[in-house]
Amino acid sequence: MTREADVPGNPRKAGRERAATTGALNLYAIRAIYLFEMARWFRTFMQSAASPVISTSLYFVVFGAAIGSRMGEIDGVPYGAFIIPGLVMLTLLTQSISNASFGIYMPKWSGTIYEVLSAPVSATEVVMGYAGAAATKSVLLGLIILATARLFVAYEIAHPVWMLGFLVLTAITFSLFGFIIGIWADNFEKLQVIPLMIVTPLAFLGGSFYSINMLPAFWQKVALINPVVYLISGFRWSFFGVADVSVGLSLAMIGLFLAICLGVIVWIFRTGYRIRP
Amino acid sequence: MSVILSIQNLGKTYASGFEALKDVSLDIRRGEIFALLGPNGAGKTTLIGIVCGIVNGSAGRVCVDGHDIARDFRAARAKIGLVPQELSTDAFETVWATTRFSRGLFGKPHNDAHIERVLRELSLWDKRGDKIMTLSGGMKRRVMIAKALAHEPEILFLDEPSAGVDVALRRDMWAMVRRLRDAGVTIILTTHYIEEAEEMADRIGVIHGGKLILVEDTAVLMQKLGKKQLTLHLQHPLAQLPAGLARDALQDARDGTLVLADDGNTLIYTYDSQTEQTGIAALLRRLAELNIDFKGLRSSESSLEDIFVNLLKEHA
């Protein structure tokens, strides 16, 4: 009698024995997927990059230059500078999710996913290609926005290495989250639901424009349920050395979310959920 | 000839409960052209999907050149190229970029000379800089073949390659498939065009209701299951077959049948092409004795299509 794990194409068996039988990563495949995705981004550079840069610039004009000049400092940081980490994080979260979800959803939608599924690539390599490209795009956008912000507001980065670390780690984590959304979505509406209905509100309520210490005590406690609070707090600390929660806790929360996303992706590829009937 | 693809007791039941494949076993020989025939929903695409890694099988085992597709999926899949039935392409990519992408995806380093060879072979070289969305349906089909050949596979699956392409392109494709076979590539194709299978395939498999009901060399199949017909156009119509005509004329012939058709104007005699005693001479003698004249006669052989249809009727 055939055991379940022995049946053809069964990824549970394949996953377990992959290391023993295949060894190294298929680097050519990772590179092919990565470059393919980056080429798509550069081909639509204006809508991919210019649009978030323009909208973020508007935030700086309104909240930084216009309203910010009439507001006092927060935790010793001028308001115009205070909102920079939150705005970068807002763009980073939405762009990571949107790039990664779109990147994997499009082949599903157009049917070209057959090629990836039939290629000698593992789940790890597929994710590295798609999520890696999405994270790269988001990090580049984040850096572009930081450069743009410098045109409006003077700021210093207290811990540049940590800043880059938070930027990259958050981009990777939310690109993985976007990858999951792209696999889950079976129409374009679903692709937009979570970024628009959940992530953007959480980013706005997560301290992008204020410190949660400015909230009443009760709402401070409620705000701690919001995972984005920890991302923005840690990122802001790397700029100004001030944070709503401890840096260690911020890192732990990002690590936890990263682990959850990786776990879900492993499950998706083991079961073939919505990609391999 | 050695076996390059071994399928053993393969089964597939989808989540809906639909059993698409039932205990299918099949060996594909290295370097042959194998045609898989079957009506819509027979299980052809599911079978190909499992071998190529697009669909998870429910039971059985598949080995590609000795590599189990589950345990050693990298080695197994690297040997396979797939041209799916649907025209699924990256509309905004150029022909050159998408073909190069396919080679990288299958773990091969850049080889622009090979990509150029493939594109020239498929008459796509002049279109290499064009976006796929600007190409005709036939050209898109060629692009999909180019993508499948980009990593130099040893086995090529062509799932309904002629669907929706014009006659000229179909003939081009047949010629290309033969050249690939001559170069040592094993070709497995599914098709609705029976003449395509008859003309190209070394062996034919017929799948129906998820079961493989026949696998045979094309020539042997035509011999074994082929029937011949003798059609006699009568000078004067008959109201019915004269009593005893069939019995008397065909007493020495095996499996011969005689029917009156076309409002009594035509006699159709169907007989086994392999037998020595066809019964034709006896039939003609008996007609002469009965003064039944005919103004013309025609002999014909059943096509693979007839054989296919009869097989499906038998297994319906």
Side-chain angles (χ1 to χ4, degrees):
Chain A
M1 190 177 165
T2 308
R3 288 179 297 136
E4 185 196 13
D6 283 331
V7 300
N10 189 310
R12 290 191 185 101
K13 180 97 179 180
R16 278 203 306 276
E17 302 196 21
R18 184 176 306 136
T21 55
T22 56
L25 289 170
N26 183 348
L27 293 175
Y28 289 115
I30 298 170
R31 186 178 69 173
I33 296 172
Y34 182 86
L35 292 180
F36 181 87
E37 281 297 296
M38 292 306 291
R40 187 167 63 80
W41 191 60
F42 284 120
R43 204 168 47 233
T44 55
F45 186 78
M46 281 308 285
Q47 66 203 68
S48 301
S51 162
V53 168
I54 290 169
S55 57
T56 310
S57 299
L58 290 174
Y59 279 120
F60 283 121
V61 170
V62 175
F63 292 103
I67 298 176
S69 60
R70 294 167 185 268
M71 291 184 70
E73 294 184 342
I74 300 176
D75 295 333
V77 180
Y79 186 70
F82 181 84
I83 63 171
I84 291 171
L87 284 177
V88 172
M89 201 51 88
L90 180 66
T91 304
L92 199 69
L93 300 187
T94 52
Q95 287 298 310
S96 297
I97 291 173
S98 126
N99 283 323
S101 59
F102 200 73
I104 190 65
Y105 178 76
M106 278 308 287
K108 270 178 54 188
W109 178 77
S110 67
T112 55
I113 190 82
Y114 84 86
E115 201 175 16
V116 175
L117 294 176
S118 64
V121 293
S122 65
T124 308
E125 291 148 0
V126 172
V127 173
M128 283 174 80
Y130 281 108
T136 306
K137 296 172 202 174
S138 308
V139 168
L140 288 176
L141 273 181
L143 294 175
I144 291 171
I145 289 169
L146 277 179
T148 310
R150 200 71 180 82
L151 301 174
F152 298 95
V153 185
Y155 65 88
E156 302 291 332
I157 301 172
H159 310 286
V161 176
W162 278 101
M163 186 279 289
L164 207 57
F166 270 110
L167 200 67
V168 171
L169 200 57
T170 308
I172 290 172
T173 304
F174 278 80
S175 294
L176 293 175
F177 185 46
F179 187 88
I180 294 167
I181 293 171
I183 294 284
W184 164 76
D186 49 16
N187 56 50
F188 280 98
E189 284 73 29
K190 279 189 180 174
L191 211 56
Q192 298 296 329
V193 163
I194 292 180
L196 279 179
M197 304 294 285
I198 298 175
V199 176
T200 304
L202 285 181
F204 270 89
L205 298 172
S208 293
F209 299 101
Y210 56 85
S211 163
I212 61 166
N213 293 326
M214 295 163 71
L215 297 172
F218 172 75
W219 289 107
Q220 282 187 35
K221 287 190 172 61
V222 172
L224 291 176
I225 300 170
N226 181 353
V228 179
V229 165
Y230 302 91
L231 307 180
I232 293 176
S233 172
F235 195 51
R236 186 169 283 141
W237 169 83
S238 69
F239 277 75
F240 310 120
V242 292
D244 290 333
V245 294
S246 77
V247 180
L249 189 57
S250 289
L251 277 173
M253 289 301 284
I254 298 177
L256 176 67
F257 195 50
L258 178 68
I260 291 170
C261 289
L262 284 173
V264 173
I265 287 172
V266 167
W267 174 81
I268 284 172
F269 278 95
R270 280 193 174 170
T271 58
Y273 173 75
R274 295 210 169 170
I275 50 172
R276 190 177 268 132
Chain B
M1 211 183 281
S2 64
V3 171
I4 194 166
L5 174 62
S6 170
I7 299 168
Q8 295 165 21
N9 309 111
L10 191 62
K12 173 64 186 176
T13 305
Y14 284 101
S16 62
F18 175 66
E19 198 175 1
L21 289 178
K22 299 167 187 167
D23 197 28
V24 171
S25 293
L26 173 66
D27 283 342
I28 302 293
R29 300 166 188 160
R30 191 181 301 275
E32 74 171 333
I33 298 179
F34 186 90
L36 192 59
L37 304 180
N40 286 333
K44 305 184 295 290
T45 301
T46 298
L47 179 63
I48 290 177
I50 293 173
V51 175
C52 294
I54 296 168
V55 176
N56 286 331
S58 307
R61 186 164 188 240
V62 178
C63 285
V64 179
D65 205 12
H67 301 284
D68 186 291
I69 62 163
R71 292 179 189 172
D72 200 2
F73 77 98
R74 279 191 207 276
R77 290 187 199 165
K79 289 176 181 287
I80 295 175
L82 168 65
V83 182
Q85 195 173 333
E86 301 293 329
L87 276 177
S88 308
T89 53
D90 296 303
F92 300 100
E93 291 296 324
T94 63
V95 171
W96 177 260
T98 196
T99 313
R100 266 179 124 227
F101 167 74
S102 297
R103 185 175 173 85
L105 191 63
F106 276 74
K108 288 281 179 79
H110 286 321
N111 184 343
D112 289 350
H114 173 71
I115 302 292
E116 181 178 342
R117 246 190 331 270
V118 169
L119 294 184
R120 285 190 187 280
E121 174 83 5
L122 290 159
S123 306
L124 283 169
W125 182 243
D126 293 339
K127 303 276 184 187
R128 65 189 180 281
D130 292 5
K131 285 186 177 173
I132 297 172
M133 63 192 291
T134 65
L135 302 180
S136 66
M139 281 293 176
K140 284 178 184 160
R141 179 75 63 187
R142 288 175 196 232
V143 172
M144 298 194 69
I145 297 173
K147 284 166 75 65
L149 294 175
H151 65 284
E152 303 163 70
E154 292 177 35
I155 303 173
L156 181 65
F157 280 95
L158 297 164
D159 195 2
E160 308 272 356
S162 305
V165 302
D166 61 30
V167 177
L169 177 55
R170 197 182 309 164
R171 295 202 175 277
D172 278 0
M173 255 195 286
W174 291 3
M176 185 211 66
V177 166
R178 286 198 189 92
R179 283 196 297 274
L180 285 170
R181 193 263 306 271
D182 293 343
V185 178
T186 305
I187 315 276
I188 299 156
L189 62 91
T190 70
T191 181
H192 276 144
Y193 295 98
I194 311 286
E195 87 248 31
E196 190 167 66
E198 189 175 349
E199 174 152 345
M200 294 179 61
D202 300 311
R203 285 199 305 153
I204 285 172
V206 178
I207 190 166
H208 183 49
K211 286 183 178 169
L212 196 61
I213 57 176
L214 176 140
V215 177
E216 193 62 87
D217 283 1
T218 309
V220 175
L221 183 67
M222 300 301 293
Q223 262 187 352
K224 270 168 61 175
L225 298 180
K227 295 272 185 187
K228 282 193 172 176
Q229 273 188 344
L230 178 70
T231 305
L232 298 165
H233 300 286
L234 304 178
Q235 197 75 45
H236 306 290
L238 295 174
Q240 59 184 32
L241 273 178
L245 172 63
R247 187 194 63 233
D248 298 344
L250 310 179
Q251 55 187 341
D252 294 330
R254 268 195 307 129
D255 300 329
T257 58
L258 185 66
V259 293
L260 189 63
D262 189 22
D263 292 332
N265 284 298
T266 306
L267 267 177
I268 300 173
Y269 174 49
T270 307
Y271 59 98
D272 185 349
S273 60
Q274 300 305 302
T275 183
E276 287 184 10
Q277 296 290 334
T278 61
I280 292 176
L283 173 66
L284 296 181
R285 268 199 309 273
R286 190 74 184 116
L287 287 175
E289 286 166 13
L290 294 170
N291 291 323
I292 300 174
D293 295 331
F294 52 90
K295 55 188 176 188
L297 59 84
R298 185 168 59 88
S299 173
S300 63
E301 203 167 349
S302 56
S303 66
L304 180 60
E305 184 160 343
D306 302 323
I307 296 171
F308 177 66
V309 170
N310 286 335
L311 271 171
L312 294 188
K313 273 184 193 161
E314 281 173 25
H315 288 82

